[in-house]
Amino acid sequence: MNGLLLLIPIALSLGLLGLAAFFWSLKRGQYDDMDGAALRIFVEDEEEKAAQP
């Protein structure tokens, strides 16, 4: 029983910390352009092929 008195506040604080980190990343715009980063790898490959003689 004494272990629960320690583990429950730790679990709640870690959950709140994760939630705060998620909202912080939303505020900073981490999820604004989901397709741009995925498609950028194809653009870089095309530029390298065009630069080669």
Side-chain angles (χ1 to χ4, degrees), residues 2-53:
N2 289 336
L4 287 177
L5 293 176
L6 179 66
L7 291 177
I8 289 175
I10 291 173
L12 288 175
S13 63
L14 286 176
L16 289 175
L17 182 67
L19 190 63
F22 174 70
F23 284 127
W24 176 78
S25 67
L26 278 178
K27 184 179 176 183
R28 298 286 180 170
Q30 292 291 319
Y31 304 108
D32 286 346
D33 185 21
M34 295 298 286
D35 293 330
L39 297 176
R40 194 172 334 159
I41 190 168
F42 299 121
V43 174
E44 291 174 2
D45 287 341
E46 291 173 2
E47 291 174 359
E48 289 177 4
K49 289 179 183 177
Q52 294 177 353

